[in-house]
Amino acid sequence: SVILKDQISGHIVLMCKGADSFLLERMNKNDKHITPTWEYLEKYAVIGLRTLVLAQKTLSEHEFEIWNRRYLEVCSSLIDREEKMMALQEEIEQGMNLVGATAIEDKLQDQVGQTIATLKSTGIKVWVLTGDKIETAINIGYSCQLLSNEDQQLLIDGKSEEEVQDSLDNALTNINSSINGQFALVISGEALIHGIKPHISSKIVKIGDACRAVLACRVSPKQKQEIVSLVRKEKPQAITLAIGDGANDVNMIVAAHVGIGIKGLEGQQAARASDYAIGEFKILRRLLMYHGRESYRRNSNLICYNFFKNMQMVLPPFWFAFNNGFSGVRIYDSYIFQMFNILYSSLPIVIYSVFDEELITPKLENIPSAYIQGMKDELFNAKILWRWILNGGLQALAMFLGSFLIMEANFYSGDGGFTNDMWVSGMTAYSGLVILCNTCLLYTSPSPRDS
């Protein structure tokens, strides 16, 4: 909504555009154009058009001054500022007159359906939060392959808390009574007003977790943020990703663990507020299936390898302490000790973490099972980490024992027939560990392959 003042006539006018379900409650009930306009809106929604309602209200100078003074005071409040601002905004938006309605065809971007189908095939739960009417949203859901004819739609729509609870209970009953059924949850913004309450919200998450897709219709930007926050609260182990292309998606993008903004005709607000910005929705498949999966694999090996090589570096002096009676004698000079991470083992792992590629890009985008490795923590978990640490410790022990038993017990220097001292044995162990840790990295890195 915006409040404007005509410089010629001096009239102050409140102009508003929004969803029909929200503006209907704020309309002048005596307006005779409301009923026929809403009939047209239903027809437009059935054929998949995106609709908006326009309304306005003329304010007197006195009415505006009183409201504006209160609004400025609330804007400087330090306690519950947003709630107070929304309450005053809703107060001034009452009794508006209908101006008209718009209906446009919003064509989907290229490969939207294929991208959503790929995401669903990996096991990712896809929730679509839109401001469209239920009929429009369902039509778009079919066209973008979010919904299918095999899905049994669970519609949650009600104006009272009792109606919403009854609908949620019926949905849970249908899910529990079905053995191999496929479900899709469709919920309206009015139902979410009550469904987001603490004693009801867990049911929505439980139903959504059992459904192949969730479609929330006629939701406001604040409700989008609340849904993301709800999922994070009820499922703390889940990773949420929000993607949007307009200013009304900013709150949702900020609330998610990872935010992706699409740069397009609706402005750059979403892209600025996001963690990653892309040009088209179809790029999301490459971003997740290739860059996301490969980054997870490389970073998993990076973390484990750093523990592995540091165990190799620090454990030989520990094992040597049993030989020198814990006197503090060093097995090798402190200078080369510092050079292990700085020079001898740092560059290879950096090259690996940046350039290593297990599968070529086109193939990896079409293999959903490869992405599931990250969702199931198959490449990085406590078991794998401890295996790397144990492997590094055992290799360090073997290299230490081998160098001291071989060099000190069997090799003699040419100076008087003395056996080699501990510095020779220490350098032998150190050199072997440098070769060993880099060879292990070479073995860890797979050769790029087509499949």
Side-chain angles (χ1 to χ4, degrees), residues 310-331:
N310 284 319
M311 292 296 290
Q312 290 187 330
M313 177 184 67
V314 301
L315 281 184
F318 173 73
W319 303 130
F320 183 62
F322 292 94
N323 192 11
N324 63 34
F326 291 91
S327 62
V329 177
R330 299 176 180 272
I331 188 176

Side-chain angles (χ1 to χ4, degrees), residues 316-317 319-334 336 399-409 411 413 418-431:
W319 303 130
F320 183 62
F322 292 94
N323 192 11
N324 63 34
F326 291 91
S327 62
V329 177
R330 299 176 180 272
I331 188 176
Y332 31 66
D333 190 82
S334 59
I336 64 170
M399 188 63 65
F400 165 76
L401 293 176
S403 63
F404 271 77
L405 292 177
I406 294 174
M407 298 302 297
E408 290 195 15
F411 283 82
S413 66
F418 295 101
T419 58
N420 288 322
D421 55 26
M422 65 177 185
W423 299 109
V424 175
S425 300
M427 283 301 301
T428 302
Y430 182 88
S431 302

Side-chain angles (χ1 to χ4, degrees), residues 297-306 349 352 388 444:
R297 183 185 62 83
R298 289 193 293 255
N299 281 299
S300 298
N301 289 331
L302 167 66
I303 296 172
C304 293
Y305 176 79
N306 276 293
I349 188 61
Y352 168 87
W388 276 84
T444 303

Side-chain angles (χ1 to χ4, degrees), residues 301-316 340-341 345 349 384-396 433-442 444:
N301 289 331
L302 167 66
I303 296 172
C304 293
Y305 176 79
N306 276 293
F307 277 95
F308 167 78
K309 72 183 183 68
N310 284 319
M311 292 296 290
Q312 290 187 330
M313 177 184 67
V314 301
L315 281 184
F340 184 85
N341 276 325
S345 64
I349 188 61
I384 292 177
L385 180 61
W386 281 110
R387 189 170 63 190
W388 276 84
I389 293 176
L390 180 62
N391 188 20
L394 292 177
Q395 290 187 20
L433 290 174
V434 169
I435 297 173
L436 189 62
C437 73
N438 288 287
T439 304
C440 181
L441 179 62
L442 184 63
T444 303

Side-chain angles (χ1 to χ4, degrees), residues 248-276:
N248 57 345
D249 299 317
V250 170
N251 294 339
M252 173 184 67
I253 290 174
V254 173
H257 290 98
V258 181
I260 298 178
I262 301 178
K263 298 182 290 185
L265 299 177
E266 297 198 27
Q268 304 292 326
Q269 292 91 336
R272 294 194 190 102
S274 63
D275 301 301
Y276 300 93

Side-chain angles (χ1 to χ4, degrees), residues 336-355:
I336 64 170
F337 184 84
Q338 299 296 329
M339 295 300 292
F340 184 85
N341 276 325
I342 296 175
L343 180 62
Y344 296 119
S345 64
S346 59
L347 187 58
I349 188 61
V350 171
I351 297 175
Y352 168 87
S353 302
V354 175
F355 298 105

Side-chain angles (χ1 to χ4, degrees), residues 127-130 219-229 232 240-261 270 273-275:
W127 292 35
V128 174
L129 315 179
T130 177
V219 291
S220 63
K222 187 174 185 296
Q223 287 178 316
K224 293 181 180 180
Q225 178 187 11
E226 290 174 343
I227 293 175
V228 175
S229 301
R232 294 189 60 172
T240 57
L241 182 148
I243 179 169
D245 61 352
N248 57 345
D249 299 317
V250 170
N251 294 339
M252 173 184 67
I253 290 174
V254 173
H257 290 98
V258 181
I260 298 178
S274 63
D275 301 301

Side-chain angles (χ1 to χ4, degrees), residues 59-293:
L59 304 174
S60 63
E61 188 81 24
H62 179 69
E63 180 183 7
F64 172 74
E65 289 295 335
I66 294 177
W67 179 87
N68 190 45
R69 190 182 307 112
R70 294 169 57 198
Y71 189 74
L72 292 177
E73 292 176 359
V74 167
C75 289
S76 59
S77 175
L78 300 179
I79 302 175
D80 299 330
R81 177 168 53 188
E82 292 187 3
E83 289 77 6
K84 294 177 181 179
M85 291 173 60
M86 291 183 62
L88 280 178
Q89 291 168 4
E90 186 172 351
E91 176 185 321
I92 198 66
E93 290 172 350
Q94 299 299 321
M96 294 185 293
N97 297 317
L98 177 64
V99 175
T102 63
I104 62 172
E105 180 183 6
D106 193 2
K107 186 178 179 181
L108 293 175
Q109 293 184 4
D110 187 30
Q111 298 184 17
V112 171
Q114 296 91 319
T115 302
I116 292 180
T118 301
L119 298 182
K120 293 173 65 177
S121 65
T122 63
I124 296 176
K125 295 289 185 179
V126 180
W127 292 35
V128 174
L129 315 179
T130 177
D132 295 323
K133 291 174 66 66
I134 293 179
E135 296 82 2
T136 305
I138 291 176
N139 287 330
I140 295 176
Y142 280 110
S143 62
C144 69
Q145 301 184 29
L146 176 72
L147 304 176
S148 64
N149 295 326
E150 291 77 20
D151 295 334
Q152 179 181 344
Q153 295 180 13
L154 304 174
L155 180 60
I156 310 297
D157 187 17
K159 295 184 178 180
S160 65
E161 183 176 327
E162 292 75 15
E163 293 177 346
V164 174
Q165 285 198 358
D166 291 340
S167 299
L168 292 174
D169 292 337
N170 293 333
L172 285 173
T173 302
N174 292 335
I175 293 174
N176 294 330
S177 60
S178 177
I179 300 177
N180 296 319
Q182 296 181 0
F183 298 93
L185 175 62
V186 180
I187 186 170
S188 67
E190 289 182 330
L192 276 173
I193 295 176
H194 304 288
I196 210 71
K197 295 178 180 178
H199 61 285
I200 305 178
S201 58
S202 59
K203 295 182 180 180
I204 294 180
V205 177
K206 186 176 181 180
I207 295 173
D209 195 41
C211 295
R212 297 180 66 251
V214 176
L215 186 59
C217 316
R218 279 304 190 219
V219 291
S220 63
K222 187 174 185 296
Q223 287 178 316
K224 293 181 180 180
Q225 178 187 11
E226 290 174 343
I227 293 175
V228 175
S229 301
L230 173 63
V231 174
R232 294 189 60 172
K233 177 183 176 182
E234 296 292 335
K235 298 181 71 64
Q237 76 282 3
I239 304 297
T240 57
L241 182 148
I243 179 169
D245 61 352
N248 57 345
D249 299 317
V250 170
N251 294 339
M252 173 184 67
I253 290 174
V254 173
H257 290 98
V258 181
I260 298 178
I262 301 178
K263 298 182 290 185
L265 299 177
E266 297 198 27
Q268 304 292 326
Q269 292 91 336
R272 294 194 190 102
S274 63
D275 301 301
Y276 300 93
I278 58 179
E280 291 184 85
F281 185 82
K282 66 180 181 181
I283 302 176
L284 180 64
R285 180 168 61 176
R286 176 181 173 86
L287 181 63
L288 292 180
M289 304 297 292
Y290 175 72
H291 293 288
R293 190 264 181 185

